[in-house]
Structure formats: structure tokens, C-alpha cells
Amino acid sequence: MTAAQQPEGALVVDTQRDRLGYVMGHEGPYVQLRPVTGGCEWDADPDRVRRATDDERRKAIRQRTRALNSASSGGIL
């Protein structure tokens, strides 16, 4: 499956920026990704996007959980 075919919601890695993100959509020649901890989307080159490995998925879960816990405790890490 190519990056252009990645379904919305898929966890991927932007290898150009070395960042994990969820596919939010496709705009023009780009894949729009959102960080696992939330925040602003960024455009990624589809040729530089790949599916996340199992280890990267576990990392994403830890990052997301930490961000949610921080938000629920008033931002204290």
C-alpha cells in the first residue's frame, strides 16, 4: 500500500521529519498528518511516508497517553 492509499486514521511515519502522525486526509500532492499528541496538521510528501511499525505504534500510545494525562491534570507532567 502506498502512502497515497493510506486510509484516514492510519498511523504513519513522516521519514523526512522523523515524526509519527495520523493520516487526516490528502490535499493536492500531499498527505496531511496530525501529531499523535494532537496539534496542527502538517503536509508530508507521500513518497516519504510509511506505515508505523509495531514498536512505533507502542511509542505513539505512550506519547498519546502521556499527553492526555497531562491535560487532565492541568498540564503537570
Side-chain angles (χ1 to χ4, degrees), residues 3 7 17 25 40 44-45 53 71:
R17 292 177 179 84
C40 295
D45 179 348
T53 64

Side-chain angles (χ1 to χ4, degrees), residues 10-29:
L11 182 61
V12 297
V13 176
D14 177 349
T15 60
Q16 185 173 1
R17 292 177 179 84
D18 194 29
R19 291 179 68 185
L20 284 166
Y22 292 105
V23 175
M24 301 306 292
H26 304 271
E27 186 66 37

